[in-house]
């Protein structure tokens, strides 16, 4: 910590370098002091912002995911683990084809390819996954493109919501209506 002429204090990064004399021994030291107060303030603000968004992602009921362009998970919240039935370690790096049938995989591929080509996000679309225990879960998902600072596509992100109960209720209602028509 340093002190300015006006008495205010600031964060300092201090570097010390030895100066060697002709005899090979240290004759003196050079010290360079750098005011890093602004950088420390930005680091703290970034840390607070990251904590805020991490808390939001971990407390929301919906699943949040990020994947690379090939469809391998690179980041997700705990809800994704719950929805898929896999542990965090098992799900990390898993390709989306590992938890869906071939027909669904083709549908998902087409959706992601369209988002990649157009750069336009999709709103919710329905699909079904196969959980680790073999049970099936219906969910609706959104997908958008992730770009690097140069604007190049690097992956996808989105939100998924388990709609299995709603789908079953809709099917039961449809069956009741059809039975009444007969």
């Amino acid at each position: 910590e340093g002190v300015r002429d006006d008495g205010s204090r600031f964060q300092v990064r201090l570097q010390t370098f030895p100066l060697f004399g002709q005899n090979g021994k240290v004759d003196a030291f050079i010290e360079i002091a750098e005011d890093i107060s602004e950088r420390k303030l930005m680091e703290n603000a970034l840390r607070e912002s990251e904590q805020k968004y991490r808390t939001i992602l971990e407390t929301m009921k919906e699943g949040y995911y990020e994947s690379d362009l090939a469809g391998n998970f690179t980041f997700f919240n705990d809800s994704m683990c719950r929805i898929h039935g896999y542990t965090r370690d098992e799900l990390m790096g898993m390709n989306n084809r590992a938890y869906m049938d071939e027909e669904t995989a083709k549908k998902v591929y087409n959706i992601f390819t369209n988002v990649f080509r157009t750069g336009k996000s999709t709103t919710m679309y329905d699909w079904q996954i196969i959980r680790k225990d073999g049970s099936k879960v219906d969910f609706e998902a959104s997908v958008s493109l992730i770009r690097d600072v140069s604007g190049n596509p690097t992956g996808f992100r989105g939100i998924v919501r388990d709609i299995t109960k709603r789908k079953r209720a809709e099917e039961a209602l449809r069956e009741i209506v059809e039975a009444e028509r007969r």
Side-chain angles (χ1 to χ4, degrees):
E1 189 172 288
V3 180
R4 293 186 181 91
D5 291 339
D6 66 1
S8 63
R9 297 188 175 279
F10 62 98
Q11 296 284 319
V12 174
R13 181 173 148 230
L14 191 62
Q15 292 181 300
T16 305
F17 302 96
L19 287 178
F20 296 96
Q22 288 187 357
N23 61 2
K25 294 184 179 182
V26 176
D27 284 345
F29 292 94
I30 294 177
E31 289 189 334
I32 300 173
E34 177 185 4
D35 181 347
I36 59 169
S37 301
E38 190 172 319
R39 185 175 80 192
K40 286 291 186 186
L41 288 172
M42 289 189 312
E43 287 173 357
N44 288 339
L46 179 60
R47 200 170 11 263
E48 288 174 12
S49 177
E50 287 174 347
Q51 182 60 42
K52 175 183 174 183
Y53 288 108
R54 187 175 299 115
T55 300
I56 290 169
L57 287 176
E58 292 308 323
T59 57
M60 63 191 255
K61 184 178 176 183
E62 292 81 10
Y64 173 84
Y65 69 91
E66 293 180 3
S67 70
D68 61 18
L69 292 173
N72 303 306
F73 281 126
T74 58
F75 179 82
F76 46 86
N77 65 359
D78 289 341
S79 291
M80 285 296 284
C81 296
R82 180 184 46 76
I83 290 168
H84 285 76
Y86 289 94
T87 66
R88 183 168 285 282
D89 288 341
E90 291 170 327
L91 205 52
M92 184 58 74
M94 184 182 287
N95 187 273
N96 59 21
R97 290 181 165 274
Y99 54 84
M100 60 184 74
D101 62 28
E102 190 61 34
E103 182 180 329
T104 301
K106 287 178 185 175
K107 177 182 175 182
V108 170
Y109 175 81
N110 290 334
I111 292 168
F112 278 61
T113 299
N114 188 52
V115 170
F116 180 82
R117 283 188 195 142
T118 65
K120 294 181 182 177
S121 301
T122 66
T123 53
M124 296 299 180
Y125 61 91
D126 296 359
W127 55 330
Q128 191 175 72
I129 63 163
I130 303 166
R131 295 174 45 112
K132 182 179 179 180
D133 66 6
S135 62
K136 294 184 178 180
V137 175
D138 293 301
F139 65 74
E140 58 186 12
S142 65
V143 61
S144 61
L145 199 55
I146 299 173
R147 296 180 183 274
D148 64 16
V149 293
S150 300
N152 299 313
T154 59
F156 302 97
R157 72 168 52 103
I159 295 176
V160 301
R161 179 178 301 121
D162 184 340
I163 59 168
T164 305
K165 290 178 184 175
R166 185 185 89 197
K167 284 279 199 179
R168 288 188 181 140
E170 289 171 357
E171 287 173 22
L173 182 59
R174 211 174 1 260
E175 288 175 12
I176 291 169
V177 170
E178 287 176 17
E180 289 178 357
R181 287 183 184 163
R182 290 182 208 148

